[in-house]
Amino acid sequence: MAKDVLCEVRNCSFWESGNLCGADQIYVVSHVGEYADNSRETDCKTFQPVE
């Protein structure tokens, strides 16, 4: 399990100083099926914009 999850999306409500993700869980999906060949084929469903 990763110790730190990094995120550079500063307008996400889970973004924390140092480019860390403060979410309790991370949900990543592939938009091409069950397997992805590279990061461009994935999306982070955890993202929530800052309101």
Side-chain angles (χ1 to χ4, degrees):
M1 181 82 55
K3 181 179 177 185
D4 294 316
V5 176
L6 301 177
C7 177
E8 295 182 355
V9 184
R10 290 182 178 233
N11 69 320
C12 180
S13 62
F14 297 113
W15 182 89
E16 295 181 357
S17 180
N19 287 341
L20 296 176
C21 179
D24 292 332
Q25 297 181 55
I26 306 298
Y27 179 31
V28 178
V29 298
S30 168
H31 53 83
V32 295
E34 291 185 20
Y35 300 94
D37 291 325
N38 55 61
S39 61
R40 293 184 310 267
E41 295 178 349
T42 63
D43 293 308
C44 178
K45 294 291 186 179
T46 307
F47 172 79
Q48 292 181 6
V50 175
E51 294 183 18

